[in-house]
Every structure is written in C-alpha cells, then in structure tokens.
Amino acid sequence: MPQEQYAHRSTMQTSEGPQVMNFTIDGMGNLRITEKGLKLEGDSEFLKPLYAKEIRSRPGNPLYFQSARNVTVNILNEKTKVLTRLVTGPQAVEAHSQKFEVKTLSGKLLFSADDNEVVVGAERLRVLGAEGTVFPKSIETPNVRADPFKELRLESPTRALVMEAPKGIEINAEAGSLKATCRTELRLESKDGEITLNSAKIKLPNLPQGSSSSAGSRQKIYELCVCPNGRLFLSQAGSSSTCQINTSVCL
C-alpha cells in the first residue's frame, strides 16, 4: 500500500511569542530536501557561516548576495588558512591573492597582476581620463599612439622625459606636424652615426647675425657660419667668406 505523507505543523516558542514552523518529510518552510541537495525558495538570511560545495540559482534566474556591510568570499586550504579572499564593501572591491587574472570566455588573458608585474593582454589599452595617465617610474611598450584625430602628448612637468630603444626610436606624424619645445636646450646627438635633416625647406629663423661688412650694403644674402664650439650664425655675404670677420659672435 502506498505510504501517505503527512504535513506536521509545529509551534516554536520565541521571545516574540509562538512561531509556527511548517515541518514536512521534504523539509521545513521554504527549505526543501531533494536528491541533489537543499532547495531554498524565496529570500533567506543566514546568521552563521554557510558551508556548501555549490550555490546556484534556478535556471534563468539571477543569484543575489546581499549584506548590510560587505560580502567576503574566502578560499581556505586543509589547515583553514586563507589562500584567496574577495571582499566587496561599501567603499571598494578588494581581491587578495598571489595573482589576479581577468580572461575572456575563450580563455584569452586580458589583465593579470602579481607582486612582480602587471600585464595587459588586450590588443589596445585606452586611457579616457582628461589628465591622461601618470607613470611614476618607467613604462615599456612597443607603440604609443593617440586615437584618430586626437593629439598625443608626452610630458614630464618637473623632471626629464627619456625614451630609449636598442634598435631605434621612430616618431611619425603622418597627417600633421611634429613639435618639440623646451625651456633651455634641445640637443640632437648621434654617437656613432649621423643626423640627417631631409626636407625641401630647412628654416633657422632666429640665428644671430654678425656685423655688416659694409654699412651701405642692402643685400639680403647671408653666409651660414659655424663656430669652433658648433654654434651657427649668419654673416652678410661678400665676394669672399665673411665668417672670419664676425668671429666675435662665437664668444
């Protein structure tokens, strides 16, 4: 004969008075015992630690964790020592582990961080802040590029800006101009090679000029002269070189 299942209604005495608890052979209240474990319907509040192998929601429904302060997820070893911790609080989300990784669904690394380095695995890193990005120390990258139709600015407000590469540095402005400005000295130095200025027009508008060789001369043709220390200056051209006449500019 089939066994009949009976629902039992039990009363529990609490500080707020008697409370009715619906006990059945399948569980208690919204808590049901199934072949796969426990099934909880509706909202629940756990006042003590909850230990479970797997926590999941119904298919197609979201899973919510709610707390008045923070939600902490700890990964422990066999000695109950915390190996990894994730804390979501009112001020920040903190992750404590030996290494932190963010990957795509296909397993491609997007971001990782540990004690030694921070790796950005995405093909492009975009900085959208109005003030750009501040690097207190060095940065290593094969390419620094601005968005289309946007300006690229490399700046060190109070210290030096150094760019180094063992096989060369290329600065290219395909659709605009390239401008380098400094307060004191701009130096182009090649230790073992040469410096080439390849352009149809090369202008040096603010070179110093030597004294005129003839007070009545009105010609606007000048000779480009080089001092022993490498300084350039202009000297009014004559029938022969006039650089020697204006050597006082080199002092």
Side-chain angles (χ1 to χ4, degrees), residues 4-250:
E4 296 182 357
Q5 296 181 358
Y6 297 92
H8 299 276
R9 176 171 293 183
S10 301
T11 303
M12 181 179 294
Q13 187 69 29
T14 65
S15 59
E16 298 178 356
Q19 300 289 332
V20 177
M21 309 294 292
N22 294 323
F23 288 97
T24 67
I25 61 174
D26 295 329
M28 177 184 66
N30 294 331
L31 185 64
R32 296 288 182 264
I33 301 176
T34 65
E35 296 179 354
K36 297 182 179 181
L38 298 179
K39 181 178 181 180
L40 191 59
E41 298 178 354
D43 299 335
S44 301
E45 182 178 355
F46 297 93
L47 303 180
K48 296 292 184 178
L50 174 64
Y51 298 91
K53 182 179 180 181
E54 182 180 358
I55 301 176
R56 62 181 179 180
S57 64
R58 288 182 176 180
N61 293 334
L63 178 63
Y64 294 98
F65 291 95
Q66 184 174 338
S67 173
R69 289 190 176 182
N70 58 54
V71 176
T72 303
V73 180
N74 293 331
I75 306 299
L76 311 178
N77 59 8
E78 63 276 2
K79 298 181 180 180
T80 67
K81 181 181 178 180
V82 178
L83 300 179
T84 303
R85 173 178 296 172
L86 177 64
V87 181
T88 59
Q91 301 295 331
V93 177
E94 299 179 2
H96 303 261
S97 64
Q98 294 183 353
K99 191 173 184 179
F100 178 76
E101 293 184 346
V102 178
K103 296 183 178 180
T104 63
L105 294 177
S106 60
K108 180 181 178 181
L109 181 65
L110 295 179
F111 179 87
S112 68
D114 55 24
D115 291 338
N116 298 322
E117 63 180 1
V118 175
V119 178
V120 178
E123 295 181 358
R124 177 180 298 181
L125 174 63
R126 298 185 62 189
V127 180
L128 302 179
E131 297 296 328
T133 303
V134 178
F135 297 97
K137 296 185 179 180
S138 62
I139 176 176
E140 181 177 347
T141 177
N143 189 6
V144 179
R145 182 175 58 187
D147 284 340
F149 308 106
K150 300 292 184 179
E151 293 184 355
L152 176 63
R153 186 182 184 93
L154 302 178
E155 182 180 22
S156 178
T158 58
R159 295 294 186 269
L161 178 62
V162 180
M163 292 187 291
E164 296 180 348
K167 293 186 178 181
I169 297 176
E170 180 179 352
I171 302 176
N172 186 16
E174 297 181 355
S177 59
L178 177 64
K179 183 179 181 181
T181 304
C182 64
R183 183 174 297 276
T184 55
E185 295 182 357
L186 177 61
R187 179 178 298 178
L188 300 177
E189 181 180 352
S190 177
K191 295 181 179 179
D192 299 325
E194 61 184 12
I195 297 176
T196 302
L197 301 178
N198 186 8
S199 176
K201 295 181 180 180
I202 298 177
K203 295 182 179 181
L204 302 174
N206 295 323
L207 288 180
Q209 297 182 14
S211 59
S212 301
S213 58
S214 176
S217 178
R218 298 295 183 182
Q219 64 178 354
K220 297 298 182 181
I221 301 175
Y222 294 89
E223 182 180 358
L224 181 62
C225 306
V226 183
C227 298
N229 59 6
R231 185 179 184 183
L232 300 178
F233 69 94
L234 298 178
S235 179
Q236 196 173 48
S239 58
S240 60
S241 177
T242 59
C243 291
Q244 295 294 334
I245 303 177
N246 298 282
T247 53
S248 59
V249 180
C250 299

